[in-house]
Amino acid sequence: MKIAIGSDHAGFKLKESIKNYLIELGINVDDFGTHSEESVDYPDYAFPVAKKVVKGEYDFGILICGTGLGMSISANKVKGIRASLCNDLFTARLAKEHNNANVLCMGGGVLGEGIAKEIVKVWIDSSFQGGRHERRIAKITAYENKSTNSN
Ligand code: RB5
């Protein structure tokens, strides 16, 4: 498994913890920054990670900002991305099982390190269930494919 991870300044500390946790789990992780708590703009980290995931270079992405909102809004602008903001375990499981999400977003200002690691573990251990969920994802993909810039 290969994961791309990124954050802004508000997610930096949690990103470092999660990166180390993934390494402990023996998972291959590439860090797309940021590399300090100096103020940056979350789209500059969301787009590169999301594009790599869509290209198939990573199994999924993890993006962390203060709330997780900026990262999820940005990543979801990239065609093929289903970014899910998961600040609890239930959402993390269903994001995979029902939504086949390919980017996990979390809030560094919302979550403690312990629960964030659990969310990541649940995410990794959960799989898409297919079935009726397949049909729903297909509708999103169809909409995405026919959408123009003006929607
Ligand atoms: C940065 O101050 C903050 O706005 C950002 O980390 C994020 O929470 C935005 O959604």
Side-chain angles (χ1 to χ4, degrees):
M1 179 176 286
K2 226 178 146 197
I3 295 176
I5 196 167
S7 76
D8 71 356
H9 54 286
F12 170 71
K13 277 189 180 157
L14 186 58
K15 190 253 294 169
E16 293 300 299
S17 305
I18 296 300
K19 184 174 67 180
N20 291 331
Y21 177 58
L22 292 170
I23 292 166
E24 274 171 35
L25 291 177
I27 291 171
N28 197 337
V29 54
D30 284 343
D31 185 352
F32 286 75
T34 188
H35 300 292
S36 76
E37 289 187 279
E38 192 181 323
S39 184
V40 293
D41 300 333
Y42 53 79
D44 295 336
Y45 301 87
F47 296 144
V49 166
K51 285 198 244 176
K52 290 282 184 187
V53 171
V54 162
K55 279 187 189 160
E57 292 181 33
Y58 294 89
D59 294 283
F60 62 87
I62 298 178
L63 290 168
I64 306 171
C65 60
T67 57
L69 282 169
M71 286 298 196
S72 55
I73 292 167
S74 303
N76 275 318
K77 300 295 178 195
V78 177
K79 194 172 173 180
I81 286 297
R82 291 177 300 280
S84 60
L85 172 54
C86 301
N87 284 327
D88 65 87
L89 297 170
F90 177 73
T91 309
R93 181 167 61 80
L94 288 219
K96 288 291 283 300
E97 291 184 353
H98 289 195
N99 308 112
N100 200 13
N102 49 13
V103 172
L104 166 62
C105 301
M106 295 186 289
V110 181
L111 296 171
E113 197 181 311
I115 181 70
K117 286 179 184 172
E118 281 191 55
I119 287 170
V120 169
K121 187 73 169 68
V122 163
W123 171 282
I124 289 169
D125 291 343
S126 303
S127 316
F128 184 48
Q129 286 180 341
R132 67 189 189 280
H133 305 297
E134 193 83 61
R135 184 179 70 241
R136 293 159 187 167
I137 304 290
K139 287 187 179 182
I140 297 171
T141 306
Y143 182 82
E144 199 172 42
N145 286 338
K146 76 172 177 143
S147 291
T148 62
N149 284 337
S150 61
N151 287 322

